[in-house]
Every structure is written in C-alpha cells, then in structure tokens.
Amino acid sequence: MSRSIIHLNIADFAVAVENNIQPSLKGYPLVIAPLGKPRAVVYDMSDEAYKEGIRKGMALARAKRINKKIKILPPSFNRYEQVMKDLLKETFAFTPLIESGISDGHIFLDVTGSGRLFGPSVDVAFKLKKAFKKTFNFDPIWAVATNKLVAKVATRVVKPVGEYIVAPGDEKAFLAPLPLNLLPGIIKKDLTKLFEFNLFFISQARALTLEQLKILFNYRAPLLYDWIRGIDPTPVTTIYNYKNHSIGKNLSIIRSDHEFSDDTNNADLLKRALYLMVETICKTLRNRRLTGGATKIILYYSDGLQSASKLKLVPSTSNDMAMFKKCIPLLNKAWTRRVRIRHMRLICEKLCQGAIQADLFSAGTKETKQTELILAMDKIHEKFGKNSIRAGLTLTLHKDRHQ
C-alpha cells in the first residue's frame, strides 16, 4: 500500500508569528535578524522583503542597503519554539507519526493508517489547515504525496500559499519539469557540479546513469539517483513528541539550555556552561533511573545561525564527569565559527533503564569513586538544597540564565 504523507509548511514562520503579535506589520517588508551585531545575518524575512531581493543568510548590512527603511525585529527563538509546540498538539489527534523542526514551521505527518478514522489524507490536510487558521491565525501551505521528498517539493512549488496533491505513480512526472534546486538535500556544491554539465532541471539530470553520478558525487550518487526519480523511503520519524516528551514509544530525550547574559566566544565560559547542563541532565537521569546513550550540542550564534554535533555514548551513562568528558570534544566539533555564541543547548537521547550500580569487581577504580562522589553530592543537595555544594567549574555562571 502506498504511503500517505502530508507536509504542512507555514511560510516565513518567524515572520508569521511576529505578525500575529503585531498585526500592523503585515504587508510591509520585514526582516528577522539580531540587532546591534556587526556580522548579523537575516534569520527570516517576509514575502514582501523576499520580492525586494532579501534572502535568508544574507548579511543584515546588505539587506539594509537594499531597503534602508526596512523594518527589523530581533529573533525570539523561545517564542517560535513554544508556538511550534502548540501547533504540534493539534496534529496528535490524527496520527502519532509526526516529524517537525524545533521552530521552523515545517511538519510531516504519516497518515497511512488513519483513513478509517479520519478519511482520506486530503481531508486530514484540510482539517489541519482549518484548525491552524482558526486557532493560530496561520494559513499553512500543504501537500500530500507518497513520501516526504515529493511532499516537500510540492509545498515549495505552491509557496507562499496553496496546496498540491501528487497521486501515487505520478512522482516522476511531477518532478520532471522542475529545477534541481527545489529538491531537498541537494546542496550548493551539488548544483555547481550539475550546472557545469548544463543540467538545470530534474528531467535533464535523469539522463545520467548511476555510474556516471558516482564519478561526480561518489558515495552520494545513490541518493541523488533516487531523489531525481522521486524515490524516498525514509520514514516520518517522531523527533520530539511535545505531548509526552518522548521519541517514539520507548525512547525519550532530556534537554538543558543555557542563555549567556552576554554573547561570548570564551572557551572557559562555554565549558562551564556545558558542565552545568551536563549536571542538570545527569541528575534528571539518575532520578528517573535512566542512562543516556547519545548527546547532541546545538550552538546558537549572535547572527542567528546555528551549528550542531552529535555523539553516541558507549557505554551509556548518567555520570556527570563521564558525560562531561565525552561532551568536551563534542563542543569543539560543533564550535566551527568565530562569531559569538548567544545560547547553547544540550540534548541527551537514546535513554534506557539502568540504575547506577558499581561493578562487583571494580571496587576502588576511578569510575567507582566518581559514582560514589556524585551520589554523595545528590544526598547533600536533597538535604541542604541545590546550591549547598557545587562543582567549582560552574561558580562564575550565576549571571547567565540556565534551565
């Protein structure tokens, strides 16, 4: 049976959120970008600003040269994330298979098995569009297709408003006349190589065999070969279920955030903030008698851009010191820019049951002593409060906001 995938896209999501708060901004060129930052770039822009030539990632100084009177608002990432959570609550009534970004206005739903309850996938899309309009004053673009890739291309075709249905079997015909830059996953480097051979449209790229694509793209060739034919078997993966804070049915995540009082690129401050987040996450793990199997660090820069890095923890752990030791190289890997950092987020994934218990034959080892120390600190915190005893590394961070 063909899958039924719905893609909902609230175009220019950050701008749409701000317009709901300040309706007077609607209809004017609007840019979302950090203010007072010398290297600030455009985080989001309205359709009116787009028509004037302003693009995401463009230097804010250049955007100002294009339109000197353009309205500029600083990004409110926490607000966008909260609105995204509220939107997702509306979608859970139709399917548990939901995939979305944290605050980008994109939502995928797999409604393949929901037909008997809610009718055809097109009806579900109409119902969600109506609900978003009534409850949140958003008018999402939507598309229905048999996979995520084709559904996302379809919403790009009808942006900024509209809907599109790609029937099963029509994927290749739908994609054929479209330019290659509409395909999700194709990066600028890929397009440059294809343009060198005068290949600008998807139908033209299909003339290349898999062997020929391997010459240009090496290991990425099989992916490109499938994408230009509308083949995408990837499932709709529930990245974060805001309803019960879980991934899927058996896995969950724990998240900690740190907002710096002043944007910084000081390595010592970043490490101290990281330890504080590790400490918070590991305490939560121990309280729930869990261990973490993977961590992810996301850095939010002053200019609105982000970078991230992920690491598997082997063995899984809830030990502050062990996790922090693994996260230091992870921080260095994610920290790829010289721009100051505004916010740091640490996510712990792949949680599993595992109470802290020392190895029967490892008494006196460094790991055992660390575990005993951490458990002793937990008891002190429970009796005398969180600030009764702290790691020296975190003492200078009282001015920053941590949660």
Side-chain angles (χ1 to χ4, degrees), residues 154-166:
T155 55
R156 288 180 172 182
V157 167
V158 296
K159 188 178 179 180
V161 291
E163 58 270 341
Y164 206 110
I165 302 167
V166 183

Side-chain angles (χ1 to χ4, degrees), residues 23-295:
S24 60
L25 296 173
K26 291 183 179 180
Y28 293 96
L30 175 65
V31 162
I32 308 294
L35 298 174
K37 308 296 180 183
R39 296 185 180 180
V41 299
V42 175
Y43 173 75
D44 200 5
M45 73 278 146
S46 65
D47 190 53
E48 292 80 10
Y50 181 87
K51 290 177 180 177
E52 292 191 9
I54 297 171
R55 300 290 184 267
K56 289 183 181 181
M58 176 185 288
L60 181 58
R62 183 181 174 191
K64 289 180 178 179
R65 289 196 297 270
I66 293 175
N67 184 338
K68 294 181 180 180
K69 296 182 179 179
I70 196 166
K71 297 179 183 294
I72 303 171
L73 290 179
S76 302
F77 298 107
N78 292 338
R79 179 186 299 158
Y80 308 148
E81 187 172 337
Q82 183 57 51
V83 173
M84 199 72 194
K85 291 179 183 179
D86 294 338
L87 290 171
L88 289 176
K89 289 177 183 178
E90 291 285 336
T91 66
F92 287 128
F94 296 97
T95 176
L97 298 177
I98 301 168
E99 180 177 329
S100 74
I102 294 174
S103 57
D104 60 3
H106 290 267
I107 304 174
F108 288 99
L109 300 91
D110 188 336
V111 293
T112 305
S114 303
R116 290 186 178 181
L117 286 174
F118 305 110
S121 54
V122 174
D123 290 354
V124 175
F126 269 119
K127 289 175 184 177
L128 284 170
K129 179 184 175 73
K130 186 177 180 180
F132 283 13
K133 183 66 177 177
K134 180 180 179 180
T135 307
F136 305 102
N137 196 31
F138 292 138
D139 190 14
I141 310 160
W142 63 265
V144 176
T146 56
N147 62 58
K148 292 194 295 182
L149 179 138
V150 175
K152 189 167 185 177
V153 172
T155 55
R156 288 180 172 182
V157 167
V158 296
K159 188 178 179 180
V161 291
E163 58 270 341
Y164 206 110
I165 302 167
V166 183
D170 290 348
E171 294 84 4
K172 287 183 68 175
F174 163 69
L175 293 175
L178 301 178
L180 285 161
N181 59 9
L182 286 183
L183 280 177
I186 289 191
I187 59 178
K188 187 175 181 180
K189 188 176 179 181
D190 298 334
L191 292 173
T192 300
K193 290 181 179 179
L194 291 165
F195 292 168
E196 288 175 354
F197 289 88
N198 291 322
L199 302 174
F200 302 97
F201 295 92
I202 294 174
S203 58
Q204 295 173 331
R206 288 178 187 166
L208 298 179
T209 65
L210 179 58
E211 289 71 23
Q212 290 171 329
L213 285 171
K214 285 181 179 178
I215 296 173
L216 291 173
F217 302 104
N218 198 5
Y219 66 91
R220 282 173 54 80
L223 281 174
L224 292 167
Y225 185 83
D226 285 345
W227 291 345
I228 59 181
R229 287 163 175 78
I231 300 171
D232 178 22
T234 58
V236 173
T237 306
T238 306
I239 295 177
Y240 185 74
N241 183 327
Y242 291 99
K243 199 171 185 179
N244 57 20
H245 303 285
S246 67
I247 297 177
K249 296 181 179 179
N250 303 315
L251 300 178
S252 59
I253 72 170
I254 298 174
R255 192 187 80 189
S256 183
D257 290 85
H258 190 92
E259 184 87 18
F260 293 98
S261 56
D262 295 310
D263 297 355
T264 183
N265 53 12
N266 183 289
D268 290 336
L269 286 178
L270 291 173
K271 289 178 182 178
R272 290 166 185 166
L274 177 60
Y275 188 89
L276 193 63
M277 292 191 292
V278 167
E279 191 177 55
T280 301
I281 285 176
C282 286
K283 184 63 170 67
T284 304
L285 288 171
R286 293 193 295 273
N287 289 342
R288 294 169 59 183
R289 301 182 71 82
L290 297 171
T291 57
T295 56

